[in-house]
Amino acid sequence: MLALVLQELQKSKEPLSVAALSKKLNIDQSALEGMLDHWVRKKRLIENNAQGEMPANCAACSGHARSCHCSAQCPFIARMPKTYSIAAGERGTDND
Amino acid sequence: MKNQALLNKKPFEINYGQETETEINKLVKIINQTPTLKSLYPPRWLAIKLLESDEDIAQRLSAIPGSTELYTEAQASVESLKKILGDDVDILMADQRYRWINSLVKEVVMKPDQSILTNSDKIDKIVTNRFLGIPIFLIFMWIVFKLTADVSAPYLDWVEGVINGPIARWTTSFLGWIGLGDTWVVSLFMDGIIAGVGGVLVFVPVLMFLYIALAVLEDSGYMARAAFVMDRLMHALGLHGKSFLPMLVGFGCTVPAIYATRTLENKNDRILTGLLVPFMSCGARLPVYVLFASIFFPKNSGKVIFSMYLLGIVVAILLGVIFKRTLFKGKEQSAFVMELPPYRIPTLKGVWRHTWERTGAFVKKAWTIIMATSVILWFLMSIPTGGQGSFANTEIGNSVFASVSKAIAPAFKPLGFNSWEASGALVTGFVAKEVVISTMSQAYAAGEPDEEVEETPTFLEDLGEIVKSFAESTLDTIKSLPLIVGVNLLGEEEEAEPTALMDAIKESFEESSNGNGWLAALSYMVFVLIYTPCMVAIAAEWHELGAKWTWVSIFGQLFLAWLLSFIVFQGGILLGLG
């Protein structure tokens, strides 16, 4: 079951949200969250869009700032779901 | 009796599989034979922790006498299980637990009937409908720009009246009071700072209304739907649906929009989206549209502004399609999965907070970048060339700024606007797009005749007039709300009189285009929409896309802006629309 989560993310070209994984694997979100946390603790997965205090998953600022310096000018703080991807080294090659 | 039965009941245990259970039992046996350990920890729990190589437990055990044998045995069990099962024991044990959790959740969790639609689902059935989704998105955008252009107009007039009336008078009086009344400092303040910064601050109500409308759409949960609706179109065109999110951000400001491209995983998609984002009309360009639309298209200003935004989207999508099939040819795109939040009624507090933050950022920009640019421009407009006049005492047409602008103006002749004022404003627009307006205010206002002042009002009279005109503007704003649906309660006679700046711009464009003023104005607006974004956006592009693509963006946008403006102006004349 845990391996399935890892395999699904390895197959995926892009990070997946809990909802997307839940749908793909037919595992309830509440159970899946624990599994994802397990892999994050093991450093096999990365939790994206979650750093910083600011914009909880703001599409504009995720991934580049611990705080969003441009939020004041941004009329669309597009909130994105938390996503997970395979940690560097797990996939083998960069997907870029 | 009942309690005794409960105590005797075997605690719940997860079965970890035959091999693991054998090793657990082996360790439990050792623990049971060691009274110190048995009294400290439940034997099965301790055995599991040791098999999971729990570091905390290993450390605690090291301090307990007699635990060495257990620890050595546990290590041997871990190695043995790893060989048999082919993976780390802790992962295999966690996997067993999650299997059990998943089966338990499936058994006991009652999901609400999926066939019962929530209110959000019902709204989504219409709003995200395959056929209605995009028209509804366009209707919302139309309402936003109608609100921005028409409903904000009374406040725009009010701010303009306050800046050019009381504030200008107070500044002149203050400078006179401190003994600078007859010096060039008065011109610096009046023709430089007040004309430049004031010319931009006049548009604060326009932006406030835009930000209020966007905050309502955003807080209600509609914006996520807009991205969802556009995803289908983007995919159909071969672009990644996620690309629309940075584009949506670009309606506010290009800078965070360029950073937002980081949400795209693929490098090619990131560069492509970064190149398209500047075509989304940012808030800074809006004052230019509002000014030109109110001069040349007073009856259809909302439609003209809306069409500018639409043109930006269309150009971005068309370019995206061309690039995707040529420069950025790549693999098939994967699906864009996003979660749609439930609809909510926006709170006044939330809408106000968003509006205030964003308007505050605009005002701050006016007092920093725009003020600095206005002062520099004033000096460039005050320094004479060719020995005609002296500093701050020269015809503006003979200034350094005019000379430089005149040198580049012929390039815009085929586009219908080759006056040095309009051409110079495009050059300074590289600093920030709002500067286009402040430059025009300075360049045109310098030639403006002084208004005859019958009697200078007192400070208190000015204050009273500010309050009174604010109340009148509020009333007019309420009356103008039905304009969104095309009902005019204001009456023709109450529509705003054109200002001296508006007259000067109209005259200049009519003259430079041989009487095709509105075509030249449209061509100018298209140029402002398409040409290179501000310097901060260029810095963001440099950072995110690299030098090569930034140069492509700068020159590519300049060329495209020229080409599209040429098509608009010359095409319009060919079609006899002038």
Side-chain angles (χ1 to χ4, degrees):
Chain A
M1 182 137 293
L2 270 171
L4 275 180
V5 175
L6 216 52
Q7 279 164 15
E8 194 59 49
L9 280 159
Q10 263 162 344
K11 264 198 305 186
S12 170
K13 290 174 197 163
E14 56 190 354
L16 294 174
S17 67
V18 185
L21 268 171
S22 166
K23 206 171 170 186
K24 278 174 189 269
L25 298 170
N26 191 27
I27 301 174
D28 194 86
Q29 284 198 29
S30 56
L32 190 59
E33 274 165 10
M35 297 183 206
L36 290 164
D37 284 346
H38 174 85
W39 285 128
V40 171
R41 276 198 307 275
K42 288 265 162 201
K43 297 188 169 53
R44 305 270 288 262
L45 289 184
I46 305 167
E47 199 179 291
N48 301 301
N49 309 347
Q51 63 267 65
E53 318 140 358
M54 185 51 210
N57 315 324
C58 162
C61 301
S62 58
H64 86 97
R66 287 200 65 78
S67 63
C68 180
H69 62 275
C70 43
S71 64
Q73 288 173 50
C74 169
F76 298 96
I77 304 284
R79 290 180 192 284
M80 299 290 289
K82 189 159 71 180
T83 58
Y84 294 86
S85 53
I86 295 290
E90 285 293 311
R91 201 187 284 272
T93 52
D94 195 347
N95 65 342
D96 269 3
Chain B
M1 193 70 182
K2 194 180 172 186
N3 286 345
Q4 191 57 45
L6 279 173
L7 284 171
N8 291 339
K9 197 179 172 189
K10 200 185 169 195
F12 165 76
E13 283 173 7
I14 289 175
N15 189 323
Y16 289 100
Q18 198 190 335
E19 293 86 356
T20 315
E21 285 295 331
T22 308
E23 296 302 321
I24 292 172
N25 289 335
K26 206 192 284 177
L27 295 179
V28 166
K29 207 172 168 186
I30 300 171
I31 296 162
N32 281 332
Q33 287 163 359
T34 318
T36 39
L37 288 173
K38 198 184 169 185
S39 62
L40 281 171
Y41 303 106
R44 185 176 166 87
W45 179 85
L46 182 59
I48 289 169
K49 285 284 142 195
L50 285 167
L51 289 180
E52 284 180 334
S53 306
D54 190 300
E55 284 175 12
D56 181 51
I57 283 295
Q59 205 180 351
R60 283 165 193 257
L61 283 190
S62 63
I64 299 169
S67 62
T68 323
E69 188 204 343
L70 172 68
Y71 190 71
T72 315
E73 195 60 41
Q75 291 288 92
S77 295
V78 169
E79 289 305 316
S80 154
L81 282 173
K82 200 173 173 179
K83 268 186 200 154
I84 298 167
L85 302 171
D87 207 343
D88 289 342
V89 182
D90 61 327
I91 290 172
L92 292 166
M93 293 179 87
D95 187 60
Q96 286 297 333
R97 275 197 293 271
Y98 283 116
R99 272 176 201 278
W100 179 80
I101 290 167
N102 191 42
S103 62
L104 181 70
V105 168
K106 282 202 166 118
E107 247 176 71
V108 301
V109 174
M110 302 283 285
K111 294 271 178 190
D113 189 351
Q114 295 291 318
S115 61
I116 297 170
L117 296 179
T118 63
N119 286 336
S120 284
D121 294 335
K122 285 175 194 162
I123 299 169
D124 276 341
K125 284 245 172 210
I126 303 165
V127 168
T128 61
N129 179 280
R130 181 178 292 270
F131 303 106
L132 296 174
I134 292 176
I136 289 174
F137 170 67
L138 293 177
I139 289 170
F140 274 125
M141 295 316 275
W142 161 255
I143 293 171
V144 168
F145 298 117
K146 198 74 181 146
L147 192 78
T148 304
D150 294 340
V151 183
S152 69
Y155 281 120
L156 193 144
D157 294 339
W158 175 74
V159 178
E160 188 177 34
V162 172
I163 291 172
N164 294 329
I167 291 178
R169 276 197 295 277
W170 295 341
T171 309
T172 317
S173 304
F174 177 75
L175 291 173
W177 182 64
I178 58 171
L180 294 169
D182 295 320
T183 62
W184 56 265
V185 181
V186 176
S187 172
L188 170 65
F189 273 84
M190 302 308 291
D191 303 329
I193 296 170
I194 290 185
V197 179
V200 172
L201 285 179
V202 159
F203 294 94
V204 164
V206 175
L207 285 151
M208 268 191 102
F209 274 87
L210 173 73
Y211 294 147
I212 288 172
L214 295 181
V216 169
L217 288 181
E218 183 189 314
D219 285 4
S220 64
Y222 178 73
M223 274 311 165
R225 270 80 185 175
F228 175 79
V229 161
M230 292 305 285
D231 170 54
R232 204 175 288 139
L233 176 70
M234 302 290 274
H235 248 266
L237 297 170
L239 296 167
H240 197 297
K242 235 185 204 180
S243 297
F244 194 68
L245 275 170
M247 290 183 180
L248 216 53
V249 175
F251 281 132
C253 179
T254 309
V255 178
I258 289 168
Y259 284 118
T261 58
R262 287 191 172 199
T263 51
L264 293 150
E265 286 75 33
N266 185 288
K267 194 179 171 186
N268 276 353
D269 283 337
R270 277 202 298 271
I271 295 173
L272 175 60
T273 311
L275 292 174
L276 302 181
V277 154
F279 294 109
M280 297 294 110
S281 197
C282 67
R285 288 159 175 149
L286 184 61
V288 183
Y289 306 151
V290 172
L291 180 67
F292 275 79
S294 59
I295 297 171
F296 294 95
F297 312 94
K299 303 268 182 223
N300 297 301
S301 54
K303 282 179 203 152
V304 171
I305 295 168
F306 178 66
S307 65
M308 284 296 122
Y309 278 78
L310 214 54
L311 178 68
I313 299 175
V314 170
V315 169
I317 289 177
L318 286 179
L319 274 181
V321 171
I322 295 168
F323 284 162
K324 193 71 196 172
R325 279 155 182 75
T326 52
L327 288 174
F328 297 94
K329 219 169 177 174
K331 290 177 279 179
E332 191 69 16
Q333 294 297 348
S334 53
F336 167 34
V337 180
M338 75 176 293
E339 286 161 21
L340 299 179
Y343 285 102
R344 286 193 182 89
I345 295 173
T347 60
L348 268 178
K349 194 181 165 191
V351 170
W352 176 248
R353 191 169 55 86
H354 283 145
T355 308
W356 185 247
E357 273 178 8
R358 290 155 195 169
T359 311
F362 178 79
V363 174
K364 191 179 165 196
K365 202 172 175 187
W367 287 114
T368 50
I369 296 173
I370 296 165
M371 184 149 143
T373 316
S374 298
V375 170
I376 293 167
L377 266 179
W378 180 85
F379 276 99
L380 291 176
M381 286 178 186
S382 302
I383 301 169
T385 51
Q388 301 174 63
S390 58
F391 176 70
N393 190 21
T394 180
E395 279 288 315
I396 196 164
N398 298 324
S399 66
V400 170
F401 180 72
S403 302
V404 174
S405 302
K406 278 173 191 168
I408 58 153
F412 301 113
K413 175 83 179 153
L415 316 185
F417 50 87
N418 63 327
S419 70
W420 69 264
E421 292 95 338
S423 312
L426 290 177
V427 175
T428 55
F430 278 113
V431 177
K433 288 291 168 282
E434 298 94 330
V435 176
V436 172
I437 293 290
S438 63
T439 306
M440 284 192 161
S441 302
Q442 285 177 270
Y444 285 113
E448 214 175 284
D450 289 336
E451 279 180 31
E452 279 181 33
V453 181
E454 288 171 2
E455 199 181 323
T456 311
T458 63
F459 180 73
L460 284 176
E461 280 171 344
D462 268 339
L463 278 183
E465 185 54 34
I466 290 172
V467 175
K468 191 180 151 223
S469 55
F470 180 80
E472 284 169 0
S473 302
T474 307
L475 193 68
D476 284 347
T477 301
I478 295 165
K479 278 189 195 169
S480 63
L481 279 172
L483 277 173
I484 295 170
V485 288
V487 179
N488 188 355
L489 298 180
L490 288 170
E492 291 298 317
E493 72 285 357
E494 286 190 47
E495 282 183 8
E497 286 290 314
T499 61
L501 173 66
M502 290 162 85
D503 283 338
I505 292 175
K506 188 164 189 178
E507 198 183 311
S508 164
F509 272 68
E510 290 289 355
E511 194 185 316
S512 64
S513 62
N514 296 325
N516 298 302
W518 74 267
L519 268 178
L522 202 60
S523 153
Y524 194 79
M525 288 160 85
V526 170
F527 197 93
V528 170
L529 164 72
I530 307 291
Y531 92 118
T532 315
C534 67
M535 59 184 187
V536 187
I538 291 171
E541 280 185 340
W542 195 282
H543 189 239
E544 291 300 299
L545 315 179
K548 185 179 102 183
W549 290 111
T550 305
W551 288 117
V552 169
S553 172
I554 292 172
F555 288 108
Q557 282 191 253
L558 259 181
F559 171 72
L560 192 64
W562 195 93
L563 186 69
L564 288 182
S565 296
F566 179 83
I567 292 169
V568 167
F569 184 69
Q570 299 296 344
I573 288 176
L574 272 178
L575 294 171
L577 299 172

